[in-house]
Amino acid sequence: MKIDILTLFPEICRAPLSESMMKRAQENGIVDLRIHNLRDWTTDKHHVVDDAPFGGGQGMVMKPEPIFAAVESLRKENSFVILMTPPGKSFTQSLAGNLSKHEHLIVVCGHYEGIDHRVTEHLIDMEISIGDYVLTNGAIAAAVLVDAVVRLLPGVLGHEQSSADDSFSAGLLEAAQYTRPAEFRGWKVPEVLLSGNHAEIAAWRKEQALRRTRENRPDLLK
Ligand code: ADE
């Protein structure tokens, strides 16, 4: 898969996407990730990327020209163009799975008070929000999206099984996990996990996943 991120703050995306599994995914050629500075597509002396909103109002709006120039220079026939923005469609595990099937993602990061709507109307395939809160800019959101998508590409996780057991994959949150020591400060690991009985362990995990989901995310059970 190829991913191009377009942002005014490349460094915000760079660090989280260059460690651990994301680093290995790139070294192993599973993902070709490029992080670009949108200012590189400005043509004026001062590299201006924003302007005051028509109709008045607070804050600045990102200009369309550098974004169109950048996307049009990177876009191929199979590209899918995303805009990270709070009013976008909610990002979920299932959307991450759909996006991981694309050959090429272009991720545009919004900043300032917003982005000229002609970008959204004529250039973007999908607006995406990572949650119901507002960040200072879309670069953090882009790093979150890219991490979740790349993690699902074949060969990125150690065990092919492990993403199937994730929270959300089966519509429930993941069951609690334990490791050694079997007793810590007097708190014992549930007996069943030491039993070696795989059927009982699976049943216990299912019940724990249900309990956790009921407690933390009852909306998932509806
Ligand atoms: N930019 C600012 N806040 C955001 C959010 N919640 N999701 C995506 N992009 C954003």
Side-chain angles (χ1 to χ4, degrees), residues 10 81 91 102 114 144 158 167 178 184 204 211 213:
V81 187
F91 188 54
H102 285 273
V144 169
S167 284
Y178 296 88
F184 169 68
W204 180 86
R211 174 185 303 197
T213 309

Side-chain angles (χ1 to χ4, degrees), residues 126-179:
M126 187 183 283
E127 299 175 276
I128 298 180
S129 164
I130 62 161
D132 293 345
Y133 40 79
V134 181
L135 304 164
T136 53
N137 73 82
I140 296 169
V144 169
L145 178 136
V146 169
D147 184 287
V149 169
V150 169
R151 182 176 171 279
L152 294 177
L153 297 176
V156 173
L157 293 181
H159 308 280
E160 287 300 339
Q161 203 21 49
S162 34
S163 80
D165 292 341
D166 284 343
S167 284
F168 312 112
S169 286
L172 296 177
L173 301 182
E174 215 177 358
Q177 302 267 30
Y178 296 88
T179 185

Side-chain angles (χ1 to χ4, degrees), residues 59 86 191:
E191 202 71 45

Side-chain angles (χ1 to χ4, degrees), residues 62-124:
M62 283 174 78
K63 293 164 66 60
E65 303 96 315
I67 303 173
F68 270 85
V71 170
E72 284 168 353
S73 76
L74 297 167
R75 187 167 61 181
K76 303 271 184 322
E77 214 154 84
N78 60 9
S79 307
F80 191 73
V81 187
I82 294 165
L83 174 66
M84 303 312 301
T85 179
K89 196 190 254 286
S90 295
F91 188 54
T92 59
Q93 189 64 23
S94 132
L95 181 51
N98 294 345
L99 295 176
S100 74
K101 309 280 188 328
H102 285 273
E103 279 173 54
H104 182 206
L105 299 178
I106 299 178
V107 186
V108 180
C109 304
H111 190 54
Y112 302 112
E113 295 307 299
I115 202 157
D116 188 288
H117 198 60
R118 287 164 290 190
V119 171
T120 314
E121 281 183 312
H122 303 292
L123 196 65
I124 298 296

